[in-house]
Amino acid sequence: MSKIELNAISKSFGAVEALAATTLTIASGQFTVLLGPSGCGKSTTLRLLAGLDLPTSGQIFIDGRDVTAASPAQRGIAMVFQNYALFPHLTVADNILFGLQVRGTPAAECKTRLADTAELLGLTALLARKPSQLSGGQQQRVALGRALVSQAKICLMDEPLSNLDAKLRQEMRSELRSLQQKLKLTLVYVTHDQSEAMSMGDQVVLLEGGRVVQSADPRTLYAHPATTFAARFIGTPPMNLLRTRDGCIAGTAIPAAQFAGTQILGIRPEDVQLDSAGIPALVDSLEYLGADQVVRCRVGEETVSIRLAGGAQVAVGARIGLKFPASAIRIFDPESLRAVA
């Protein structure tokens, strides 16, 4: 078991609050992603979990044991950094075994663990090489191998794929997710890339300004965002947010009677439908993506994005009609910016 619990954890640097009182549970064997823009508190949270920083207040528990003041070595965790932190003068084998050798692990056990880890990560043929002789993906595997060889059941990762090109990053996502499931690791992963978060995580914790906005599985986060920030941060293109005034879409006299008053309506681009008898819109731009295309339209004072099939014939400057199915609309309070049931 490797359950992690944060109980009202906070961290301040002088007068700056990097992380507000945060309570969070990470189940054993779960892939949890800390997601958000720069400065939201995700890396601070990871450093607190690792023991690299101490919290200003609150407690951290691992399997029910209070580790708030424990050193990193006492927490039984492994960590993979963004820059991999490999020693350039050491071979792949020595980089992987460095932690075990420092702790005085017997040579026979080191050899067995190295062989098992190298085979698992496809590094057996590279053990004699230096980091400078490896590709970015291979260096990432070495950094991961150094974490796995310790046989820790909790692994923390701070944007480990950000230095890779797009194609390799896609491949490594799949490999990392498969490896996590195979080893039943409790993995906490930090990223600002919502595609990484949605494709890999069992649980996605979205942060903004040092506070948890929403913690949920990817499907719930996408379909039922808790705030307008979550609605816009998750999804490419993001959810459309349309203001209504006195039952009309802002800047128009188009009634939206079922949503009386002043509200914010949220609807995903793929849920907007073309309807010649629908709400009048002017096509501003097109983004052709092959299998589909993103069409951006002007409706009164609002911009609406639509995801259509790649073969759909729509031209810039065309006037079209849009339909917003009531079942696909999410409603947000214009003051609190939180979802309304």
Side-chain angles (χ1 to χ4, degrees):
M1 296 293 289
S2 306
K3 181 181 179 181
I4 301 172
E5 295 171 279
L6 304 184
N7 182 19
I9 283 290
S10 70
K11 180 64 178 178
S12 296
F13 297 94
V16 178
E17 185 180 54
L19 187 69
T22 297
T23 297
L24 181 68
T25 298
I26 298 172
S28 179
Q30 183 170 263
F31 196 127
T32 295
V33 181
L34 304 180
L35 173 68
S38 297
C40 70
K42 55 188 186 296
S43 291
T44 297
T45 303
L46 199 74
R47 291 178 63 84
L48 293 173
L49 285 174
L52 299 177
D53 287 331
L54 294 177
T56 303
S57 62
Q59 295 173 292
I60 300 173
F61 297 90
I62 294 179
D63 289 339
R65 180 170 65 97
D66 189 342
V67 298
T68 309
S71 69
Q74 295 171 321
R75 299 190 183 203
I77 60 174
M79 188 163 181
V80 178
F81 297 93
Q82 181 177 357
N83 63 358
Y84 310 143
L86 302 180
F87 296 107
H89 63 289
L90 298 181
T91 64
V92 168
D94 288 336
N95 265 287
I96 292 175
L97 290 176
F98 184 80
L100 294 184
Q101 293 171 339
V102 167
R103 290 193 290 272
T105 305
E109 185 176 348
C110 284
K111 183 177 180 179
T112 300
R113 288 201 200 181
L114 175 63
D116 292 343
T117 302
E119 182 179 0
L120 183 66
L121 296 173
L123 293 172
T124 303
L126 306 176
L127 292 177
R129 293 190 187 182
K130 301 286 181 66
S132 61
Q133 298 172 301
L134 304 177
S135 68
Q138 290 168 338
Q139 289 183 37
Q140 199 274 343
R141 288 188 180 91
V142 175
L144 184 58
R146 186 169 54 193
L148 296 180
V149 79
S150 68
Q151 295 184 350
K153 282 300 181 181
I154 296 176
C155 187
L156 310 179
M157 296 191 170
D158 190 2
E159 304 204 47
L161 307 185
S162 61
N163 295 327
L164 306 180
D165 61 62
K167 183 176 183 298
L168 186 55
R169 191 160 58 242
Q170 184 76 31
E171 293 173 357
M172 290 304 298
R173 285 182 201 168
S174 178
E175 288 186 23
L176 186 56
R177 177 61 170 151
S178 177
L179 191 63
Q180 180 267 336
Q181 292 176 325
K182 181 177 181 180
L183 298 177
K184 295 181 173 57
L185 288 174
T186 301
L187 201 153
V188 184
Y189 186 103
V190 162
T191 184
H192 64 275
D193 186 335
Q194 54 110 355
S195 297
E196 282 188 9
M198 300 294 277
S199 63
M200 294 194 295
D202 298 311
Q203 174 189 26
V204 178
V205 182
L206 180 61
L207 295 105
E208 179 192 20
R211 287 172 168 77
V212 174
V213 173
Q214 188 171 2
S215 176
D217 64 273
R219 290 182 182 274
T220 299
L221 196 63
Y222 186 82
H224 302 283
T227 69
T228 55
F229 173 79
R232 295 291 293 174
F233 197 86
I234 301 296
T236 306
M239 177 178 274
N240 296 299
L241 297 177
L242 309 176
R243 293 165 296 157
T244 67
R245 297 175 189 157
D246 301 321
C248 293
I249 295 174
T252 76
I254 301 163
Q258 68 269 44
F259 306 109
T262 300
Q263 298 173 320
I264 299 175
L265 310 184
I267 183 166
R268 292 290 179 190
E270 61 271 21
D271 291 326
V272 181
Q273 301 173 2
L274 295 181
D275 185 341
S276 57
I279 297 170
L282 177 67
V283 177
D284 276 346
S285 66
L286 298 172
E287 185 179 357
Y288 180 71
L289 302 172
D292 55 11
Q293 59 184 314
V294 176
V295 181
R296 292 181 175 83
C297 309
R298 177 67 58 181
V299 178
E301 298 175 3
E302 305 294 333
T303 297
V304 178
S305 295
I306 320 166
R307 187 181 291 279
L308 300 176
Q313 298 299 310
V314 181
V316 174
R319 294 190 178 278
I320 59 177
L322 305 179
K323 181 180 179 182
F324 305 138
S327 61
I329 292 176
R330 301 289 171 259
I331 305 174
F332 300 90
D333 181 85
E335 294 184 5
S336 69
L337 303 182
R338 298 195 66 81
V340 177

